[in-house]
Amino acid sequence: MLADYGLGDAIADAADRSAVPVETDVELPRFTEAVESAAYFAVREALANVARHSGAARAWISAGCTAGDRHGRRLWIEVRDDGRGGAVPPGGAAGRTGGSAGRAGSGLTGLADRLAVLDGTLAVDSPPGGPTVLRMEIPC
């Protein structure tokens, strides 16, 4: 799916297969294979986390590509859910950008590591009580 149709269609397919209903707002151009692969598997991991840990009834994925600025062109993807929150970002502590668990799970750490290989970033906003918003950015 990813190689033939691109990241936008692959994300829509992953959303359709998610255990939690997902709405998408994704219209993307093609990117390099490395960018599309990293972004796709990061979205899959994020959706798996929603299904396993959030208690969410719904999730949303939006994505786009920023125009070049001093940081260059960047692919951004947001995965949001209406779950209970409390996810702790890699290297993070409890609070507004984390939760009460005290340490990040291996899913978020792996997701951040996958993005970092391409100089990408992961931002996590998941206050106790929710919602959780993951924002991924990758130079493209």
Side-chain angles (χ1 to χ4, degrees), residues 2-109:
L2 181 60
D4 292 336
Y5 297 105
L7 181 60
D9 287 342
I11 289 173
D13 183 65
D16 287 344
R17 296 171 186 268
S18 175
V20 175
V22 180
E23 294 180 32
T24 60
D25 181 13
V26 176
E27 193 168 319
L28 297 170
R30 293 301 303 257
F31 300 102
T32 65
E33 183 179 336
V35 167
E36 287 191 339
S37 179
Y40 174 73
F41 288 107
V43 167
R44 293 291 305 258
E45 181 65 36
L47 290 176
N49 285 345
V50 169
R52 280 190 215 121
H53 306 296
S54 74
R58 297 204 62 76
W60 298 264
I61 300 173
S62 55
C65 187
T66 62
D69 62 7
R70 66 185 177 95
H71 300 292
R73 198 171 85 141
R74 297 181 72 82
L75 164 65
W76 61 268
I77 303 170
E78 279 192 0
V79 179
R80 296 178 290 123
D81 69 54
D82 63 358
R84 65 179 147 268
V88 178
R96 180 70 187 146
T97 58
S100 58
R103 65 180 184 186
S106 61
L108 289 179
T109 299

